[in-house]
Amino acid sequence: MTRLLVLHGPNLNRLGLRETDIYGTLTLDQINDRLRQYAAAKGISVHPVQSNHEGELIDQLHHAQTTYQGVVFNPAGYTHTSVALRDAVAAIDLPVVEVHLSNISGREDFRRVSLIAPVCAGQISGFGWRSYLLGIEAVLGCLHEG
Amino acid sequence: MTRLLVLHGPNLNRLGLRETDIYGTLTLDQINDRLRQYAAAKGISVHPVQSNHEGELIDQLHHAQTTYQGVVFNPAGYTHTSVALRDAVAAIDLPVVEVHLSNISGREDFRRVSLIAPVCAGQISGFGWRSYLLGIEAVLGCLHEG
Amino acid sequence: MTRLLVLHGPNLNRLGLRETDIYGTLTLDQINDRLRQYAAAKGISVHPVQSNHEGELIDQLHHAQTTYQGVVFNPAGYTHTSVALRDAVAAIDLPVVEVHLSNISGREDFRRVSLIAPVCAGQISGFGWRSYLLGIEAVLGCLHEG
Amino acid sequence: MTRLLVLHGPNLNRLGLRETDIYGTLTLDQINDRLRQYAAAKGISVHPVQSNHEGELIDQLHHAQTTYQGVVFNPAGYTHTSVALRDAVAAIDLPVVEVHLSNISGREDFRRVSLIAPVCAGQISGFGWRSYLLGIEAVLGCLHEG
Amino acid sequence: MTRLLVLHGPNLNRLGLRETDIYGTLTLDQINDRLRQYAAAKGISVHPVQSNHEGELIDQLHHAQTTYQGVVFNPAGYTHTSVALRDAVAAIDLPVVEVHLSNISGREDFRRVSLIAPVCAGQISGFGWRSYLLGIEAVLGCLHEG
Amino acid sequence: MTRLLVLHGPNLNRLGLRETDIYGTLTLDQINDRLRQYAAAKGISVHPVQSNHEGELIDQLHHAQTTYQGVVFNPAGYTHTSVALRDAVAAIDLPVVEVHLSNISGREDFRRVSLIAPVCAGQISGFGWRSYLLGIEAVLGCLHEG
Amino acid sequence: MTRLLVLHGPNLNRLGLRETDIYGTLTLDQINDRLRQYAAAKGISVHPVQSNHEGELIDQLHHAQTTYQGVVFNPAGYTHTSVALRDAVAAIDLPVVEVHLSNISGREDFRRVSLIAPVCAGQISGFGWRSYLLGIEAVLGCLHEG
Amino acid sequence: MTRLLVLHGPNLNRLGLRETDIYGTLTLDQINDRLRQYAAAKGISVHPVQSNHEGELIDQLHHAQTTYQGVVFNPAGYTHTSVALRDAVAAIDLPVVEVHLSNISGREDFRRVSLIAPVCAGQISGFGWRSYLLGIEAVLGCLHEG
Amino acid sequence: MTRLLVLHGPNLNRLGLRETDIYGTLTLDQINDRLRQYAAAKGISVHPVQSNHEGELIDQLHHAQTTYQGVVFNPAGYTHTSVALRDAVAAIDLPVVEVHLSNISGREDFRRVSLIAPVCAGQISGFGWRSYLLGIEAVLGCLHEG
Amino acid sequence: MTRLLVLHGPNLNRLGLRETDIYGTLTLDQINDRLRQYAAAKGISVHPVQSNHEGELIDQLHHAQTTYQGVVFNPAGYTHTSVALRDAVAAIDLPVVEVHLSNISGREDFRRVSLIAPVCAGQISGFGWRSYLLGIEAVLGCLHEG
Amino acid sequence: MTRLLVLHGPNLNRLGLRETDIYGTLTLDQINDRLRQYAAAKGISVHPVQSNHEGELIDQLHHAQTTYQGVVFNPAGYTHTSVALRDAVAAIDLPVVEVHLSNISGREDFRRVSLIAPVCAGQISGFGWRSYLLGIEAVLGCLHEG
Amino acid sequence: MTRLLVLHGPNLNRLGLRETDIYGTLTLDQINDRLRQYAAAKGISVHPVQSNHEGELIDQLHHAQTTYQGVVFNPAGYTHTSVALRDAVAAIDLPVVEVHLSNISGREDFRRVSLIAPVCAGQISGFGWRSYLLGIEAVLGCLHEG
């Protein structure tokens, strides 16, 4: 059975509580529930983890190598500043898809470039919680293509 | 019945003929066939158009307003240089999703920033022909959310 | 009788339909009517042409050499990206005045610099449809000064 | 009766005496006379003031609030360096139109961007002393539109 | 009773031990004691927390939402590099005031711009341990104004 | 008795009249009154001066050397452009604290860097008229520390 | 028999009519005649095409794949702005040599870098109409080397 | 007996498992063993610590002050982004030598500049696991020179 | 008899009072005395003027046209920021030599480029009060050469 | 008889020995032989000189003025860094054509701009040893045109 | 017997005579003596050469190919400006290690990036004359690894 | 007797032969004669040396330490590119004054900044051959001041 890690970066535990015009009104728990249902309907499983700690996110990516077949990763605020997370993605041999709730190309200048996306399979941004659904589909596509 | 425009930008008529390591081995006709089948299975229709002419792409976007419910748009080489196409997307009231076959964040510097994405609903890049499938799903998600 | 070309660039055929807070509520036809009336009252004629095609705009500028005494030109989205249009203005021997409906200096960074204005007689921006009226007056001033 | 301030920035008192290839051969007095005649013919009045002092120009703009209905402003060398003048324009509730004798987009790099234009109604450059005439018309257009 | 979090960022546990010409000779404990005394005299309480971990600082900010009425925050070395901390400040609904012991505008170039200050209520820098006192006053001012 | 100069830069004479969402609704006179009361309660005196003239502000700073024990200085629009004011602060031997009503780090790019702050004792921004109160406290702290 | 496409970009139809100090006094027809004669003397044929339309130039490059053995290409004003033309050159399997009449390295800054040259066999600039002759020789050299 | 901390930054626990063309085929344990043997032969001891957590690395550096005589530090992905680690090195009074397995000057642009090296004794890069050996020698040289 | 204006810019009235390590220990009066003696010995006269007001400096330059044969000008802090002073120098027909007490190329980055020097006859910097002597010689050389 | 200097810059004496994928397999002697044969067949003579010394290359260019009718110059690594060589080319009155074996526009960023080309007649790059042949033809064309 | 070239770049013949706080008090002869002794003790030989001439350094590197097994190279002031030296290192097939006496990352901005290091085996900086010792060890390591 | 080295950089041996509008019509010999006469009249001696070789200029500067009391140095094209010459000036303990015939601040961008001037006593530019006279005076002033 295909198992995917859904890795949520910093501050995503605050979803639905603040800045709902940017990130939407769903809480992280509600999003995770929807992702689990969606996965179950497809016969796969998703395992959401959230951390505000860059080091913890690196550890999770390393750990994913032996536990999951792919990763849907929202690096949030670390997207634009973390070479270490980029290296962590490059250091594992799994399809990793970067997702964002908001359309980062239309926000502040410093959010326009991702340090991590170049070593991911691809990037999806702008579709709210549905970005995760598309991310799951994208990882499955990568696995399917081999 | 939901009707979507799939708008292919410059040089995509050469897909499968050159640079297959970057863009894949499928021809544009083969991709379009797969998109039509995928759409039919969902009970919607997709209408692929390709042009190498920036002006023609603008005309098509304007025309879409009265003919389609959404657009999946691969601006290809115009992604990084065309303010006019950006303005064309902003000048219509439809969900437009920007898609790319290759992971543009991992290529030449001049391909990293899209002038068009900020006025689209969102952006998807890096999944080969499947980027279009994800683009269709993303447009449908936008329509569903209202 | 003095004959002026009024050349409208990309997306201006959508005036009055979208983004009316930026560009105003008049349609292109309404603006053209006002310009024709204004010209008639002054005993000159204006000839509006609109195209979304960069190449067509270049052709029109070349053609103007033998047909008109001056040009009022709104390059719209091509203002900031087209060396080819700049060269087209430089390649004819007519007064060309660049006009913009919105105050481009107060919008996105990429709209602040015009590649075309340096080879025009001058530039007028920010006065809505009246920018065209001022443009006509400016071309007439150039012709008057010799 | 509509009263407009015509505010001339630094060094414009030297018009017609030096660099006549760039700025023309008319002296400031000659230009002011033409503007007064033009205004009289339209049934309005214009009131020219020139100063080389940034602070004096700020004072004049503040003073304009209670004395004039609009301002035609040539900030000359302060155009590109003065945040204080920008703030002064923003601090009054009158239409202010920025004008330049020369086509500043075609000169040295440091003259290409105006700090002041973004908070003006619009900008006119390149038409010699006629830029002021167009500026008067532009202010009147703003007043007419409300 | 008003309760404020005083959040100290990385390396501030080394205060008074090294680089005393830049940061002063007081240890963090000595500063915290002075802040507690100052607060007590005003009838409020301050609660100092120090961490070298970016993730821990994010957690503390989130936690502050339900425990404190405001935050005095010295992000130290994270000031200039952490989008994640910026997002954490934006994700809570409390007045946060950024403080620095040294005058960061007069040090290395990379210390001149703060990624976090734009989403804080304001910034205070350069007054040594007294920056914290001013920070407390500033938070109280924000609370007072409502 | 401690005497402080409170030096207000360009356009601050317009406080409370325009852009009240940015700068607040108090007029400069009202702010000065509050500062005088605050000072009187502490047994010191403050002496407010406002000028739109850069040269006048320089003169005032020079003059302060022999008349005051410290300066609270809001350079407003000159903050970002005036090397001359920077040199004036460096040319006197008094604690000078730079203050701003608005949070300048969160506004236009050109407002983010202060040329003057590096030679001041420190900088305070974002707390409206209370920034001046904090500035007075900061100057007193500097005097107290010796 | 070796057949070469000579592809002329925007505004080259105006050669000999304007800016003759930069581009020379020969018209495009005269240049084409000389190229045909030169080619005939070598036992090959050249086929000149000119267009002001970026899309048409892309179409011509695609078409060249099946019709010609090589391309001499003067992209003129599109040299510096067109990623789409770059991609078109990369999308065909023919030697393409970029030529310029003027020495573009000695003109305006924006003309110094070519987006297209990196995917061409090489670049020749500065020798007037003879740049085309050298371009023909260069393409023949590429074909000869295999 | 001289005791040195060998501090390994993020992702170095993955050495030998991925990207072996860049970082070599030895695992971190194998490298540490070699370092311990090398140290033992010289009559000193080395104590390797690895962490993916920026905060943990800061804590280790602080801790080193009282436990070790010097530090060989490979900050890996934090090299280019961490002001906090720079400040941590500056906050202790020990010779710290920055080492890198790969030649960082020959890789991506963002890896070329180290924020940390300026406050270290020096930097060594490009010699694979032997960079650590050289780092040990360099620290010993610093200690020897006093 | 040759008459030269020696124009001192902002803060130079504070010479000898502060920052004597950079600017020397002579007061402005002492320097002016030395210049007058030096001039008298050469049979010419120098007329020193100092102002902290940019506008006043512009006025003085304009005034010099009809009163002096040349100008030795130390624009001090306005050197790097004043387009208006540059235009004032360009607006008169006299040799103007820019001088600086300190070696501005070796100080802060923002002091390295002069906006004014390009329109002066030349620039002299770094020789303390002797820079003025050299400036007088340089102006005389210009007058001598015609 | 027409005599041309063929001036080879630094490291070209190593041609054919290393980096043959970039520069080709011919040695410098072999290239020079081909150039001499080509010249002889045209009834002219070429005189190859190679030096790794910038000063020697300058001397050679100066010397060429009285000895040769034109120069084919490959400045190699000095292309991008030598203002002195640029000045040397500008200091002689001969047609100088810059040539490069490799297509420098498609290599490292620092190789993209030539400091020397703007003062040459033109530039040819990318055709291996044949770039020299084209260079000879280009110089002859310049001489022929007068 | 292993023979290494130790190549000293410009101004290193002045070591110990000036700027001893940056470069140390040893003269070049003293350093060379220490290196020869160190080498002798290891059973290898080192051959120091110093030149202020860029071309001579290039010649020496070329010559090293047939005479030495490796190079320890301190390019000194040419480190940051010489593409020609970079190409010379790339043009030989020997391990070259770049060394610096001072910690170049902590000095002026223009010293932070090396043009030469990317084509060397690696770089060592900051350890005074011991940088050469480490450089010898590093070259030997490269030779040992094969 | 005071002895000064007058060191002329690259291409100055071509003075008076080309580009006389920029550099004047005097040959280097004529300038040197005038300098010798000027020096003789003052009871000092000047010793002119010219070289196109950067390394030779460095050698000359080193040699000057033991032979001359000061240096007037025109680095010409090396001014803007040579860190090695900068270091050579810093490596000797003599007053060195940088001089330029032309006003380098008013020429191409790459001539505006001098790498060498920051370590010289000062800089003089724009006065043709008289810049050398002023340079001699400046060196004497430095010697006089001690």
Side-chain angles (χ1 to χ4, degrees), chain J residues 9 19 39-40 66-67 78 95 118 134:
Chain J
E19 302 187 291
T66 53
T67 314
Y78 292 137
L134 297 170

Side-chain angles (χ1 to χ4, degrees), chain I residues 6-131:
Chain I
V6 176
L7 191 57
H8 302 287
N11 297 300
L12 294 172
N13 55 318
R14 297 283 297 167
L15 280 178
L17 306 180
R18 289 271 295 162
E19 301 187 293
T20 53
D21 55 324
I22 300 175
Y23 300 112
T25 56
L26 295 180
T27 65
L28 188 60
D29 281 348
Q30 291 170 319
I31 290 175
N32 284 337
D33 283 349
R34 293 193 183 190
L35 298 184
R36 282 195 203 91
Q37 290 169 22
Y38 183 85
K42 296 187 81 86
I44 65 168
S45 70
V46 298
H47 301 262
V49 175
Q50 192 274 334
S51 176
N52 295 325
H53 297 247
E54 190 177 13
E56 176 66 18
L57 296 168
I58 296 170
D59 289 345
Q60 288 286 341
L61 287 166
H62 292 177
H63 175 65
Q65 179 76 74
T66 53
T67 314
Y68 302 105
Q69 281 79 56
V71 184
V72 177
F73 183 22
N74 181 347
Y78 292 137
T79 305
H80 322 289
T81 63
S82 178
V83 175
L85 275 168
R86 175 196 181 106
D87 290 350
V89 171
I92 59 175
D93 188 16
L94 290 176
V96 180
V97 171
E98 184 180 312
V99 299
H100 296 282
L101 295 149
S102 66
N103 182 353
I104 57 173
S105 66
R107 298 180 64 195
E108 302 97 324
D109 276 3
F110 62 80
R111 290 196 209 270
R112 295 209 184 157
V113 174
S114 166
L115 276 171
I116 297 170
V119 296
C120 292
Q123 188 194 51
I124 294 164
S125 71
F127 307 106
W129 73 276
R130 288 176 192 274
S131 289

Side-chain angles (χ1 to χ4, degrees), chain C residues 66-127:
Chain C
T66 53
T67 314
Y68 301 105
Q69 281 80 53
V71 183
V72 177
F73 183 22
N74 182 348
Y78 292 137
T79 304
H80 322 289
T81 63
S82 178
V83 175
L85 274 167
R86 176 197 180 106
D87 289 350
V89 171
I92 60 173
D93 189 15
L94 290 177
V96 180
V97 171
E98 184 181 312
V99 299
H100 296 281
L101 294 149
S102 65
N103 182 354
I104 58 174
S105 66
R107 299 180 63 193
E108 301 98 326
D109 276 3
F110 62 80
R111 290 195 209 270
R112 296 213 183 154
V113 174
S114 167
L115 277 170
I116 298 170
V119 295
C120 292
Q123 188 194 50
I124 295 164
S125 72
F127 307 106

Side-chain angles (χ1 to χ4, degrees), chain J residues 34-141:
Chain J
R34 292 195 183 188
L35 298 185
R36 284 195 202 90
Q37 290 169 23
Y38 184 85
K42 295 187 82 86
I44 65 168
S45 69
V46 297
H47 301 259
V49 175
Q50 192 272 335
S51 176
N52 295 325
H53 297 249
E54 190 177 12
E56 175 66 17
L57 295 168
I58 296 170
D59 290 345
Q60 288 287 341
L61 287 165
H62 292 177
H63 175 66
Q65 179 75 75
T66 53
T67 314
Y68 301 105
Q69 280 82 53
V71 184
V72 177
F73 183 22
N74 181 347
Y78 292 137
T79 304
H80 323 288
T81 64
S82 178
V83 175
L85 275 168
R86 175 198 181 105
D87 289 351
V89 171
I92 59 174
D93 188 15
L94 290 176
V96 180
V97 171
E98 184 180 312
V99 299
H100 297 281
L101 294 149
S102 67
N103 183 352
I104 57 174
S105 65
R107 299 180 62 193
E108 302 97 324
D109 275 2
F110 62 80
R111 291 195 209 270
R112 296 212 183 153
V113 174
S114 167
L115 277 171
I116 298 171
V119 295
C120 292
Q123 188 196 48
I124 294 165
S125 73
F127 307 107
W129 73 275
R130 288 176 192 274
S131 289
Y132 287 99
L133 288 194
L134 297 170
I136 291 170
E137 289 297 332
V139 172
L140 294 178

Side-chain angles (χ1 to χ4, degrees), chain H residues 10-94:
Chain H
N11 297 300
L12 294 172
N13 55 319
R14 296 283 298 166
L15 280 178
L17 306 181
R18 289 273 295 164
E19 303 186 293
T20 53
D21 54 324
I22 301 175
Y23 300 112
T25 55
L26 295 180
T27 64
L28 188 60
D29 281 349
Q30 290 170 321
I31 291 176
N32 285 338
D33 283 348
R34 293 194 183 188
L35 299 183
R36 283 194 204 91
Q37 291 168 22
Y38 183 86
K42 295 187 83 85
I44 65 168
S45 70
V46 297
H47 302 261
V49 174
Q50 192 273 336
S51 175
N52 296 323
H53 297 247
E54 190 177 13
E56 175 66 19
L57 295 168
I58 296 170
D59 289 346
Q60 288 287 341
L61 286 165
H62 292 177
H63 175 66
Q65 179 76 75
T66 52
T67 315
Y68 302 105
Q69 280 81 54
V71 184
V72 177
F73 183 21
N74 181 346
Y78 291 137
T79 305
H80 322 289
T81 64
S82 177
V83 175
L85 275 167
R86 175 198 181 105
D87 290 351
V89 170
I92 60 175
D93 188 15
L94 290 176

Side-chain angles (χ1 to χ4, degrees), chain J residues 10-11 13-14 18-19 23 52-54 77-78 80-81 108 110-111, chain K residues 54-56 58-59 62 65 81 83-84 86-88 90-93:
Chain J
N11 298 300
N13 55 319
R14 297 283 299 166
R18 289 272 296 162
E19 302 187 291
Y23 300 113
N52 295 325
H53 297 249
E54 190 177 12
Y78 292 137
H80 323 288
T81 64
E108 302 97 324
F110 62 80
R111 291 195 209 270
Chain K
E54 190 178 11
E56 176 66 17
I58 297 170
D59 290 345
H62 292 178
Q65 179 76 73
T81 65
V83 175
R86 175 196 180 107
D87 290 351
I92 58 175
D93 189 16

